[in-house]
Amino acid sequence: MRNWVAALFICLLIGGWLWGHQKQDVKLELTDKGGNESAEHQAQAQEQEQEQARTTTIKVSQNQIYRGNLVLINKEYGIHPEGVEADVIQLAGHQELLDGFGLLDRSIRLPQTLLQRFTDMVAAADKDGVNHFLISSGYRDQAEQEQLYADMGADYALPAGHSEHNLGLSLDIGSSLKAMNDAPEGEWLTRNADRYGFILRYPKDKTDITGIQYEPWHFRYVGLPHSRIMKENGFTLEEYLDFLKEKKSFAATVDGKRYEISYYPMAEGLEISVPSNQLYELSGNNSDGIIMTAWL
């Protein structure tokens, strides 16, 4: 009898010991599993915080549609007052700014920002021995465009408010040597203008798209990287804006620099995410959307 009681007592001790360790293993497993879930949650939360730190949400006003380097001005889409460049000056009154080019006459005006971009471009051309540039037309106000349209007619001019010259982002560039389609200046610009943010706005083979005859002298500033992408793909501004709307968002590497370009349909209360610590630029398309360009 004593032996049976002793055996039962030993069995109970062993069973209690095994149950205790089994419970401890389950507890450790739950603790470990809970720890992993917590670590994953913390990692996700940290990633979200880092993403929020990298971007800022901004509200975009309706007027932004009509402002920026990519606004489309043509027979269909006219200029809105808020889109006109503000820093227009008469160049003849600033001889210190006429570096590397001449003027056809003293009436020519340009926004200072566009003038600086043009000056940087002709300085690069000068290093290649091309240095007979001439500005034959720059910014025009509505009254000047109306008069030009009355004098030249619809075959050679656009109505007031529908010319890029009314915007302040275009200029007619000539050469003091010969006509632009034969001049070294025209040839140099055809090869290199896109490197400085400019495009030949009305190419010879795209008149059916632009609705404007070939103008080898008319250059439009759209900025980088857009000018390079357009040149590489043979896009007019009309075609490029359609391309952006179709793609919605894409990344591009241009001259070793990486960009992200995104299109947003305009809507009331539109909010978009922009980089917090990188440069970015907004432009409307003058009809229904906003393009955000970020330098990554």
Side-chain angles (χ1 to χ4, degrees), residues 35-165:
N36 289 337
E37 288 179 346
S38 177
E40 290 175 5
H41 178 74
Q42 290 176 359
Q44 291 175 356
Q46 186 176 10
E47 185 177 349
Q48 290 176 351
E49 289 177 1
Q50 290 174 348
E51 179 62 26
Q52 290 174 354
R54 288 194 295 266
T55 61
T56 300
T57 300
I58 63 170
K59 290 186 177 181
V60 181
S61 69
Q62 181 74 26
N63 287 342
Q64 182 63 63
I65 287 181
Y66 312 119
R67 300 198 300 262
N69 294 331
L70 295 174
V71 295
L72 177 64
I73 305 298
N74 57 20
K75 293 178 180 179
E76 183 178 357
Y77 298 104
I79 292 168
H80 290 251
E82 54 267 59
V84 178
E85 295 293 299
D87 55 344
V88 177
I89 60 171
Q90 188 164 349
L91 300 189
H94 296 271
Q95 289 295 323
E96 74 280 3
L97 300 178
L98 308 184
D99 187 11
F101 61 93
L103 303 176
L104 183 64
D105 60 58
R106 295 182 59 82
S107 68
I108 293 171
R109 292 174 291 164
L110 282 181
Q112 294 185 63
T113 48
L114 183 64
L115 174 62
Q116 184 58 59
R117 292 158 180 161
F118 173 71
T119 301
D120 292 342
M121 184 166 64
V122 298
D126 183 58
K127 294 178 180 179
D128 291 338
V130 180
N131 48 29
H132 289 82
F133 288 98
L134 188 72
I135 297 179
S136 56
S137 185
Y139 170 77
R140 303 184 200 123
D141 61 27
Q142 298 275 16
E144 290 170 322
Q145 190 67 31
E146 285 179 4
Q147 187 61 53
L148 182 67
Y149 187 71
D151 293 341
M152 303 295 293
D155 290 338
Y156 296 96
L158 288 164
H162 290 266
S163 169
E164 288 194 332
H165 287 283

Side-chain angles (χ1 to χ4, degrees), residues 70 226 240 244-245 247-251 259-265 272-273 281-283 289-294:
L70 295 174
H226 309 292
Y240 184 54
L244 294 179
K245 188 182 294 190
K247 286 292 185 181
K248 296 293 190 296
S249 183
F250 68 98
Y259 303 86
E260 182 178 351
I261 304 168
S262 302
Y263 167 85
Y264 298 88
I272 65 176
S273 295
E281 189 173 74
L282 297 180
S283 176
I290 304 296
I291 298 100
M292 192 273 288
T293 307

Side-chain angles (χ1 to χ4, degrees), residues 4 35 44 68 74 92 127 144 166 198 204 234 287:
W4 180 84
Q44 291 175 356
N74 57 20
K127 294 178 180 179
E144 290 170 322
N166 303 146
F198 288 86
K204 183 184 296 185
S287 59

